[in-house]
Amino acid sequence: MLNKKLAACLLAAALPFAAFAANDAALSKEQLEVASKLRDQALEKSDAYSLVESLTVEVGPRFPGTEGDVRAVAWATEKMQALGFDRVYTEQIDVHRWRRGHVHAEVVAPYPQPLVATSLGYSAATPKGGITAEIVEFADVQALEAADPETVKGKIAFINKRMVRTRTGEGYGPVVGARSRGMRIATEKGAAALVIRSVGTDSDRFAHTGMMAFTGVDNPVPALALSAPDANLVEAMLKRGKPVEIKISADNEMLGDGPSFNVIGELRGREKPDEVVIIGAHLDSWDEGTGALDDGAGVAIVMETARLLAQLPERPRRTVRVILFGAEEIGLVGAKQYVEAHKDELDKIVAISESDFGAGKVWRFDTGFPEGKLGLADQMMQVLAPLGIERGNNKSSGGPDSSVFYAQGVPAFRLYQDGSDYFDYHHTPNDTLDKIDPENMKQNVAAWIAATYLLAEMEETLGQLPTAK
Amino acid sequence: MLNKKLAACLLAAALPFAAFAANDAALSKEQLEVASKLRDQALEKSDAYSLVESLTVEVGPRFPGTEGDVRAVAWATEKMQALGFDRVYTEQIDVHRWRRGHVHAEVVAPYPQPLVATSLGYSAATPKGGITAEIVEFADVQALEAADPETVKGKIAFINKRMVRTRTGEGYGPVVGARSRGMRIATEKGAAALVIRSVGTDSDRFAHTGMMAFTGVDNPVPALALSAPDANLVEAMLKRGKPVEIKISADNEMLGDGPSFNVIGELRGREKPDEVVIIGAHLDSWDEGTGALDDGAGVAIVMETARLLAQLPERPRRTVRVILFGAEEIGLVGAKQYVEAHKDELDKIVAISESDFGAGKVWRFDTGFPEGKLGLADQMMQVLAPLGIERGNNKSSGGPDSSVFYAQGVPAFRLYQDGSDYFDYHHTPNDTLDKIDPENMKQNVAAWIAATYLLAEMEETLGQLPTAK
């Protein structure tokens, strides 16, 4: 049933929507008009920027299982309560904890000079006194994988692959294996340590940290990333033909398991409270920046979206659930444990998405809808297109955390942000508030509120994906 | 006398130079044509980039009095010998030595989080255990100077002034006092320490180091710079109205005096070897970057200029002396001691300049010539203008090291580089080779070889400036 009261309240003027045949019309003309109005209001007045400012200034780094993480959970809970959610609660998750120690790296020979490096996530410590060894260079992780162990044994394996800058971030896939798999391979081949060129697109003297697979690796070797200029430096030395010897030290520490939390806020559905649209982001961040782009911006965008929806005279038909996932950075831990804990309720999730790609403008609308429901996406595009958003594909899992739900058959969508500079800052100390343009945040919220409203308000649901159990 | 042999050798075609009255014609038509030819050859074939690549890769940081400095002196000496100079020699200078220790900074309250900071040059160490104190903010160094000591006593004075980006770098003057004078004032007022917003134009998480006046200050307090994003963070916390307490520690160390060197290479003048055109740069660098822009680029530009001049069939009429000054960063030490050691020969210096403003294109030609000799500058502009260089003013002292000579009456000139992004990298770890565009280096050498050739070849000298002793 059309919510006429709400439509009348918001509607200022009739907007020119394309006519759809009745059997395609998942969304009514009036629903689209309300969504357009919400979009325009958000574009003008939303203030997600203040939320990410608050999070980065008052909390800052919030690595899973740290005091910063505890403060972030408290911040999110209090903030959601103040913003007008109907229900705010946390769900505990279990995380591996780790402490980054001081790291030091330098070229010992033939041209002694210091290097800027950082430990990859959960890297082992070096022995006291560090590791001094010759570098062996590999073009990519596959080259290390194919290497004769004799060429690597006792040496420091150096994977030196550059990442390509793109708007979509698709340059990430071909390089991230160096970080995620390199340490295991280096360990198995008897290397003394792994060093990689940072997975990033900048040419600044920041090393990019990030997660690697470490469970089940016996006696893992230390694993470091060099900043791009430092990788260039080592590369230039190697090109001169003499052996290059470096020294690294890192006093990292594994701390055992501990708790973290998913923080959840809900606007209870007006008619179908047990049917849910999930909009998410992750609350945790890497430890060296203040997690502004990754993922303070996303946290702020979905919180502000819900705050504005909460100001409507009536709740949308379905429940809108904001989930601020914990421990995304260390392996989608919050999402995985959420899906496990709620596996019997997944068919009640109408759709899921998350904002986790920085603070650039949304430029594309991707979906992971059942094939028969793409008419809905086309209708949604009528409201999104005026924001400069184009229709993308139907292959999206929604984002990292959403993909865990999507794999279980939950329809997903993605408001794809322009990530051209996202990997300049990703997982570095330089991920700070000043990288966010408040105007871009307004455009994001405008897109989010339109999409969220329509999915929460539409007559029928999408059903589940054929990949469902 | 015109060097007809040389002109004939280089001259491919007559070039269209404006006619000058005989009494203005410091430079002949043929001299200008040779200079144009040299310019065009340099634009096409010069390779200063390889020199700065070599210096940054094979030496890297070269803070005065360190092992890196010793290696830089050896590098410069060997390189100049290989490049075809007639004479290469060093002159010892005396420098204060200092070791940067590990620095740590964090907000303790009300929002605990780490800060990115660096020690200013020659900063005192903190007591063991660091200093924890409340921050008092000042808009600029003048505000600190005017402050009642009671408001500062025992607290950490924080000078929070932003630098304005300009092509000329003139935004530097209004802010650098915070760095150069702030510590002395903070000490005199009984502050526990000085912290400043970095003197820089970037918004990256690099703190900018740099020199401060420290001699004659009794019990100097530690002095740190915060990166711009960290200064923003502290500012945002202060705006919330609660006292902001930070903890800093730094285990720097004064090491006593030691030697460094000016490295000098000469092309001996064909006719007037005792008359000298000096083209300089500084060999030393700050310790955290590899000194690519500051001042490896300048070193490379003037060395390459001389290398190409050395390939002419005949030497220019006068001696061209390349001086790679030592210890510029810590107070123009090499230049001052050179001028003192050679004070009886200053009237033999026809003109001086230096390249010390990064690796941007030259866009302006400034002079510090005697007023009666500006016709020469106009003539030189005929060769420089095609490089996109405009005529500037006659108030230039040539640059930091040159200014010491200029103050003694030596005519100076400046090939002003575009410094729009110079202070993004200045005195940070991020001053690395990747910030240099090889094409810009060619344009620089083209300008330098034209100017240097003309000044070394012209018939008459400029005389001394009226400010001379």
Side-chain angles (χ1 to χ4, degrees):
Chain A
M1 191 184 80
L2 174 71
N3 180 10
K4 290 190 185 287
K5 185 171 154 195
L6 173 58
C9 168
L10 283 166
L11 208 54
L15 295 167
F17 290 109
F20 272 76
N23 58 346
D24 285 327
L27 301 170
S28 71
K29 186 164 170 264
E30 280 173 297
Q31 285 167 340
L32 290 165
E33 287 168 351
V34 172
S36 298
K37 192 82 186 172
L38 288 168
R39 174 198 68 200
D40 293 345
Q41 288 176 344
L43 206 52
E44 193 185 344
K45 292 186 191 160
S46 67
D47 188 17
Y49 183 80
S50 288
L51 289 167
V52 63
E53 197 265 359
S54 172
L55 178 58
T56 54
V57 171
E58 295 164 22
V59 179
R62 44 199 183 277
F63 190 69
T66 62
E67 285 184 25
D69 190 31
V70 172
R71 282 194 293 268
V73 169
W75 176 90
T77 306
E78 287 164 26
K79 201 60 104 176
M80 279 188 177
Q81 282 162 345
L83 293 182
F85 284 75
D86 299 321
R87 184 184 169 213
V88 179
Y89 55 105
T90 60
E91 293 186 352
Q92 186 173 325
I93 58 175
D94 301 313
V95 300
H96 298 305
R97 294 179 310 130
W98 174 77
R99 186 187 63 75
R100 179 187 305 279
H102 182 68
V103 66
H104 176 85
E106 64 180 297
V107 177
V108 173
Y111 308 114
Q113 52 171 300
L115 296 170
V116 172
T118 196
S119 293
L120 296 180
Y122 294 79
S123 167
T126 57
K128 259 198 197 328
I131 293 170
T132 303
E134 189 184 332
I135 279 213
V136 201
E137 188 182 24
F138 296 95
D140 50 30
V141 70
Q142 290 80 6
L144 173 61
E145 208 155 25
D148 180 348
E150 284 307 309
T151 63
V152 186
K153 200 168 181 177
K155 297 183 178 170
I156 296 176
F158 171 45
I159 304 178
N160 184 24
K161 188 169 172 69
R162 285 170 168 79
M163 179 173 168
V164 176
R165 183 187 301 275
T166 61
R167 185 159 61 159
T168 56
E170 61 201 318
Y172 193 57
V175 289
V176 73
R179 192 190 77 208
S180 57
R181 301 195 297 121
M183 184 278 285
R184 178 193 296 267
I185 300 166
T187 300
E188 287 169 358
K189 294 204 185 264
L194 174 76
V195 168
I196 66 168
R197 175 184 285 269
S198 280
V199 174
T201 48
D202 59 306
S203 191
D204 287 306
R205 217 144 180 218
F206 296 110
H208 297 236
T209 190
M211 202 53 190
M212 56 183 184
F214 68 94
T215 49
V217 181
D218 290 334
N219 301 313
V221 296
L224 269 56
L226 295 179
S227 86
D230 290 271
N232 295 349
L233 203 55
V234 170
E235 181 181 87
M237 289 181 188
L238 287 164
K239 275 197 182 133
R240 282 160 164 80
K242 295 179 200 161
V244 175
E245 196 174 79
I246 70 170
K247 178 180 176 181
I248 60 171
S249 68
D251 59 350
N252 308 317
E253 198 181 354
M254 294 294 264
L255 299 175
D257 290 357
S260 184
F261 298 87
N262 294 324
V263 183
I264 304 166
E266 292 182 359
L267 305 185
R268 184 180 161 82
R270 181 181 77 246
E271 286 181 12
K272 301 187 170 182
D274 59 334
E275 292 182 10
V276 181
V277 176
I278 295 179
I279 59 175
H282 67 86
L283 186 56
D284 64 309
S285 78
W286 279 99
D287 52 331
E288 298 193 289
T290 63
L293 295 170
D294 186 13
D295 183 25
V299 165
I301 287 163
V302 295
M303 283 174 76
E304 177 70 357
T305 296
R307 183 185 76 84
L308 294 178
L309 285 175
Q311 291 177 0
L312 290 174
E314 285 194 326
R315 293 286 183 252
R317 189 187 304 257
R318 294 185 187 80
T319 291
V320 173
R321 181 175 297 155
V322 173
I323 307 184
L324 305 182
F325 292 102
E328 187 272 351
E329 293 293 3
I330 60 173
L332 316 179
V333 176
K336 287 175 180 168
Q337 295 188 19
Y338 185 96
V339 165
E340 178 60 28
H342 298 275
K343 58 187 167 194
D344 297 335
E345 308 153 35
L346 298 180
D347 60 353
K348 293 294 189 185
I349 303 171
V350 173
I352 186 166
S353 187
E354 76 201 84
S355 177
D356 182 18
F357 198 47
K361 277 189 179 159
V362 176
W363 68 280
R364 199 171 87 185
F365 175 52
D366 287 354
T367 50
F369 286 177
E371 286 296 332
K373 300 290 184 176
L374 295 179
L376 171 70
D378 292 337
Q379 282 191 295
M380 291 172 74
M381 275 304 297
Q382 296 178 53
V383 186
L384 296 174
L387 293 169
I389 299 171
E390 60 190 61
R391 177 70 175 115
N393 59 53
N394 193 43
K395 297 174 187 167
S396 181
S397 61
D401 283 326
S402 301
S403 72
V404 184
F405 295 74
Y406 177 79
Q408 300 298 319
V410 177
F413 66 97
R414 182 167 179 186
L415 293 162
Y416 217 127
Q417 290 165 295
D418 186 327
S420 299
D421 67 358
Y422 182 65
F423 290 103
D424 288 350
Y425 308 113
H426 186 246
H427 298 184
T428 73
N430 206 22
D431 178 1
T432 48
L433 183 67
D434 50 295
K435 311 310 180 303
I436 297 180
D437 179 343
E439 288 307 306
N440 288 352
M441 296 292 275
K442 288 180 197 280
Q443 190 260 10
N444 270 269
V445 175
W448 275 90
I449 200 166
T452 305
Y453 171 78
L454 290 173
L455 290 164
E457 193 61 39
M458 63 185 176
E459 190 79 19
E460 295 178 23
T461 67
L462 298 166
Q464 296 277 291
L465 295 162
T467 46
K469 296 162 287 182
Chain B
M1 194 184 80
L2 174 70
N3 180 9
K4 287 190 185 290
K5 186 171 156 193
L6 174 57
C9 168
L10 284 166
L11 208 55
L15 296 168
F17 290 109
F20 271 76
N23 58 345
D24 285 327
L27 300 169
S28 72
K29 185 166 170 266
E30 280 175 297
Q31 286 167 342
L32 290 166
E33 286 168 351
V34 173
S36 298
K37 192 81 186 171
L38 288 168
R39 174 199 68 201
D40 294 345
Q41 289 177 344
L43 205 52
E44 193 185 344
K45 292 185 191 163
S46 67
D47 187 17
Y49 183 80
S50 288
L51 289 168
V52 64
E53 196 266 358
S54 172
L55 177 59
T56 54
V57 171
E58 296 164 22
V59 179
R62 43 200 183 275
F63 190 68
T66 62
E67 284 184 26
D69 190 30
V70 172
R71 282 194 292 268
V73 169
W75 176 90
T77 305
E78 286 163 27
K79 203 59 107 175
M80 279 187 176
Q81 282 162 346
L83 293 182
F85 284 75
D86 299 322
R87 185 183 170 213
V88 178
Y89 55 104
T90 60
E91 294 187 352
Q92 187 174 326
I93 57 175
D94 302 312
V95 299
H96 298 305
R97 294 180 309 130
W98 175 77
R99 185 186 63 76
R100 178 186 307 278
H102 183 67
V103 67
H104 177 85
E106 63 181 298
V107 177
V108 173
Y111 308 114
Q113 52 171 300
L115 297 170
V116 172
T118 196
S119 293
L120 297 180
Y122 293 79
S123 168
T126 57
K128 258 198 196 323
I131 293 170
T132 303
E134 188 185 334
I135 279 214
V136 201
E137 188 182 24
F138 296 95
D140 50 29
V141 68
Q142 291 80 7
L144 173 61
E145 207 154 24
D148 178 348
E150 284 308 309
T151 64
V152 186
K153 200 166 180 174
K155 296 181 178 169
I156 296 176
F158 169 46
I159 305 178
N160 184 23
K161 189 171 171 67
R162 285 171 168 79
M163 180 172 167
V164 175
R165 182 186 301 275
T166 62
R167 185 159 61 158
T168 57
E170 60 200 320
Y172 193 58
V175 289
V176 73
R179 193 189 77 207
S180 56
R181 304 195 295 122
M183 184 278 285
R184 179 194 296 267
I185 300 165
T187 300
E188 287 168 359
K189 297 207 185 260
L194 174 76
V195 168
I196 67 168
R197 175 185 285 269
S198 280
V199 174
T201 48
D202 59 304
S203 191
D204 287 305
R205 217 145 181 217
F206 296 110
H208 297 238
T209 190
M211 202 53 192
M212 56 183 184
F214 68 94
T215 50
V217 181
D218 290 333
N219 301 313
V221 296
L224 268 56
L226 295 179
S227 85
D230 291 271
N232 295 349
L233 202 55
V234 170
E235 181 181 88
M237 290 181 187
L238 287 165
K239 274 196 183 132
R240 282 158 163 81
K242 296 180 200 159
V244 175
E245 195 173 80
I246 70 169
K247 178 179 176 181
I248 59 170
S249 68
D251 58 350
N252 309 317
E253 197 181 354
M254 294 294 264
L255 299 174
D257 290 357
S260 185
F261 297 88
N262 293 325
V263 182
I264 304 167
E266 291 183 358
L267 305 184
R268 184 180 161 84
R270 181 181 79 244
E271 285 181 14
K272 301 186 171 183
D274 59 333
E275 291 182 11
V276 181
V277 176
I278 294 179
I279 59 175
H282 67 85
L283 185 57
D284 64 308
S285 78
W286 277 100
D287 51 332
E288 297 193 289
T290 63
L293 296 169
D294 188 12
D295 182 25
V299 165
I301 288 163
V302 296
M303 282 174 75
E304 178 70 356
T305 296
R307 182 183 78 84
L308 295 178
L309 285 175
Q311 291 176 2
L312 290 173
E314 285 194 326
R315 294 286 183 250
R317 189 188 303 259
R318 295 185 187 79
T319 291
V320 173
R321 181 175 297 155
V322 173
I323 306 185
L324 305 182
F325 291 103
E328 188 271 350
E329 292 293 4
I330 60 172
L332 317 179
V333 175
K336 286 176 181 168
Q337 294 187 22
Y338 185 96
V339 165
E340 178 60 27
H342 298 276
K343 59 188 167 193
D344 297 335
E345 308 152 34
L346 299 180
D347 60 354
K348 293 294 190 184
I349 304 171
V350 172
I352 187 167
S353 187
E354 76 201 83
S355 176
D356 182 17
F357 199 46
K361 277 190 180 161
V362 176
W363 66 281
R364 199 171 88 184
F365 176 50
D366 287 354
T367 50
F369 285 177
E371 286 297 331
K373 301 288 185 175
L374 294 179
L376 171 69
D378 291 337
Q379 281 191 294
M380 291 172 74
M381 276 304 297
Q382 296 177 54
V383 186
L384 296 174
L387 293 169
I389 299 171
E390 59 189 62
R391 177 69 175 117
N393 59 52
N394 193 43
K395 296 174 188 165
S396 181
S397 61
D401 284 325
S402 302
S403 73
V404 183
F405 294 74
Y406 177 80
Q408 300 299 318
V410 177
F413 67 96
R414 182 166 179 186
L415 293 163
Y416 217 127
Q417 289 164 295
D418 186 326
S420 299
D421 66 358
Y422 183 65
F423 290 103
D424 288 350
Y425 307 113
H426 187 246
H427 298 183
T428 73
N430 206 22
D431 178 1
T432 48
L433 183 66
D434 50 295
K435 312 309 180 302
I436 296 180
D437 179 343
E439 289 307 306
N440 287 352
M441 295 293 274
K442 288 180 196 278
Q443 190 260 9
N444 271 268
V445 175
W448 275 90
I449 199 165
T452 306
Y453 171 77
L454 291 173
L455 290 165
E457 193 61 40
M458 64 184 174
E459 190 78 20
E460 293 179 25
T461 68
L462 298 165
Q464 296 277 292
L465 295 162
T467 47
K469 294 161 291 181

